[in-house]
């Protein structure tokens, strides 16, 4: 053997010895499996799927329970489900891609982009920006119960065009217009979570790019991220892969119909744990996925950057306990970053620690009562701690 070959083999050996030894597993462990089974049995959860991401790689994934209780079909990490407000992170990524392309600015008056003009009747001269929309400081609010009672359509996608709905909601004389659609706060001065603000941001992306959000995200996100089973509407995904949805009421679990929503940019994405893992890795890895730069590093940096500080914050926010990126936020007392999602029959987590070392994606196809909401967080925390254990085991084995 010549010296060149010896050196080459030595280098390969060193690489093998120093590479992380994570082997992606869906086998679980007796401990995590028993924890999941116990929490599901206690709560009545029908099915769930999860993935753990350590150092930007999926190191564990598994499904539990059923996607269809009646037929006994298993819930797996390739099962499709609508992901509720975690969709806002996809809208945020589309927004930042449009910024990257020079089609919009986060700080321009949104009325520069819209085919109709929006003015808060309490502060008609104040500018509302996309940064306000994406940090929930726009002064535009979801009017309840109208928002939940009028925008969900059982068994089908919404028949009402997004732009028509928004115009009718925000423009005086529109059939949905009310002064109660606005807060008595100047933009940027008060934070109130706003689904309608996210819908408006998604619509602005559509107006400025000339593409519907589903087309734009497919071209710039879903295709390059190999999210082949992901879409925004029931009509564009394989419903045979879609989970049934369930709701627990009075200790009884019942199936509820699938549904579409008019304001789809705030919660319409349908995807799988496997597909969403690719998207999450891209964001945690400065816009890169499998050696492909899907979003520029500076684009992702701005999306994930904490926007609030003591000198620049809404009056009702303490940055040390709550902060916000572009449709991205701190959670659980500012110990995690990412997004959660909740809709009828749906609970979703996409959260990482602040250092982006351990991430968890969790899909649950069952709604629980408000008093049992803690069950979801317990399951998430069990998975997170298992992820920490996997990471620590790898460090010891290096």
């Amino acid at each position: 053997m010549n010296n060149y070959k010896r050196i080459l083999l030595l280098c390969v050996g060193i690489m093998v010895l120093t590479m992380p030894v994570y082997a992606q597993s869906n086998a679980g462990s007796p401990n995590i499996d028993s924890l999941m089974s116990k929490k599901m049995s206690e709560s009545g959860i029908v099915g769930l799927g999860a993935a753990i991401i350590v150092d930007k790689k999926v190191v564990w994934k598994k499904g539990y329970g059923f996607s269809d209780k009646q037929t006994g079909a298993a819930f797996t990490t390739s099962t499709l489900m609508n992901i509720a407000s975690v969709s806002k992170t996809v809208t945020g990524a589309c927004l930042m891609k449009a910024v990257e392309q020079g089609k919009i600015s986060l700080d321009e008056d949104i009325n520069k982009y819209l085919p109709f003009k929006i003015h808060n009747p309490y502060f008609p001269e104040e500018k509302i920006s996309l940064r306000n929309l994406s940090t929930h400081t726009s002064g535009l609010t979801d009017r309840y119960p109208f928002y939940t009672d009028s925008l969900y359509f059982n068994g089908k996608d919404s028949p009402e065009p997004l732009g028509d709905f928004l115009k009718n909601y925000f423009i005086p004389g529109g059939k949905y217009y009310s002064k109660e659609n606005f807060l008595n706060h100047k933009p940027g001065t008060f934070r109130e979570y706003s689904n309608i603000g996210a819908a408006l941001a998604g619509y602005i992306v559509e107006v400025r790019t000339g593409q519907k959000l589903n087309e734009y995200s497919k071209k710039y996100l879903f295709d390059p991220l190999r999210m082949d089973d992901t879409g925004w509407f029931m009509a564009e995904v394989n419903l045979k892969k879609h989970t049934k949805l369930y709701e627990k009421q009075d200790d009884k679990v019942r199936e509820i119909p699938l549904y579409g929503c008019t304001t789809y940019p705030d919660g319409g994405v349908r995807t799988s744990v496997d597909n969403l893992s690719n998207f999450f890795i891209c964001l945690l890895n400065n816009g890169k996925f499998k050696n492909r730069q899907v979003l520029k590093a500076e684009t992702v940096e701005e999306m994930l950057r904490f926007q609030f500080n003591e000198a620049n914050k809404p009056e009702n926010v303490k940055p040390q306990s709550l902060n916000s990126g572009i449709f991205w936020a701190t959670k659980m007392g500012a110990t995690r970053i990412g997004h959660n999602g909740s809709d009828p029959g749906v609970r979703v987590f996409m959260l990482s620690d602040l250092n982006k070392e351990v991430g968890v994606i969790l899909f649950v196809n069952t709604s629980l009562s408000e008093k049992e909401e803690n069950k979801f967080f317990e399951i998430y925390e069990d998975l997170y701690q298992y992820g920490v254990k996997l990471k620590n085991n790898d460090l010891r084995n290096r």
Side-chain angles (χ1 to χ4, degrees), residues 88 154 189 192 324 380:
K88 290 181 177 71
N154 286 338
T189 65
E192 181 176 286
S324 178
Y380 160 79

Side-chain angles (χ1 to χ4, degrees), residues 30 35 91 135 162 179 212 282:
L35 279 171
T91 297
T135 57
L162 175 61
K179 200 173 181 181
K212 291 295 184 183
C282 177

Side-chain angles (χ1 to χ4, degrees), residues 99-118:
V99 169
E100 188 178 290
Q101 294 171 334
K103 297 183 183 296
I104 53 176
S105 164
L106 291 178
D107 297 306
E108 184 61 72
D109 189 329
I110 59 172
N111 285 328
K112 179 180 177 180
Y113 304 133
L114 290 167
F116 47 84
K117 305 302 178 188
I118 297 178

Side-chain angles (χ1 to χ4, degrees), residues 51-76:
I52 296 172
I53 297 165
V54 175
D55 295 334
K56 288 77 175 178
K57 294 182 179 67
V58 174
V59 298
W60 176 92
K61 62 179 184 175
K62 194 167 184 182
Y64 298 87
F66 305 106
S67 66
D68 186 332
K69 196 175 183 180
Q70 186 174 358
T71 67
F75 197 110
T76 74

Side-chain angles (χ1 to χ4, degrees), residues 162-291:
L162 175 61
D164 290 354
F165 170 79
L166 292 169
K167 184 176 181 181
N168 277 310
Y169 190 86
F170 287 121
I171 305 306
K175 60 183 175 179
Y176 310 132
Y177 182 83
S178 168
K179 200 173 181 181
E180 294 175 10
N181 297 344
F182 304 85
L183 298 176
N184 190 5
H185 293 279
K186 290 183 180 180
T189 65
F190 191 87
R191 186 184 190 275
E192 181 176 286
Y193 191 84
S194 175
N195 289 292
I196 207 77
L200 182 60
Y203 177 64
I204 289 172
V205 172
E206 294 186 340
V207 170
R208 292 297 293 168
T209 64
Q211 292 181 283
K212 291 295 184 183
L213 204 58
N214 61 321
E215 299 165 350
Y216 186 76
S217 56
K218 178 174 171 56
K219 180 176 181 179
Y220 293 107
L221 295 175
F222 301 158
D223 282 352
L225 289 171
R226 303 177 191 175
M227 297 171 69
D228 300 330
D229 279 333
T230 301
W232 288 86
F233 305 114
M234 293 172 68
E236 62 179 346
V237 299
N238 184 352
L239 293 179
K240 291 180 180 178
K241 296 182 178 182
H242 203 293
T243 185
K244 305 292 187 184
L245 301 181
Y246 299 90
E247 188 174 69
K248 184 180 178 184
Q249 288 184 341
D250 301 323
D251 293 327
K252 292 183 179 179
V253 177
R254 66 183 184 94
E255 183 182 333
I256 62 174
L258 303 186
Y259 48 84
C261 185
T262 304
T263 55
Y264 53 85
D266 68 29
V269 171
R270 298 171 192 276
T271 189
S272 66
V273 169
D274 290 338
N275 276 198
L276 191 63
S277 296
N278 295 353
F279 175 70
F280 199 23
I281 288 169
C282 177
L283 295 183
L284 297 176
N285 196 33
N286 301 313
K288 185 181 286 188
F289 177 74
K290 292 189 181 296
N291 297 317

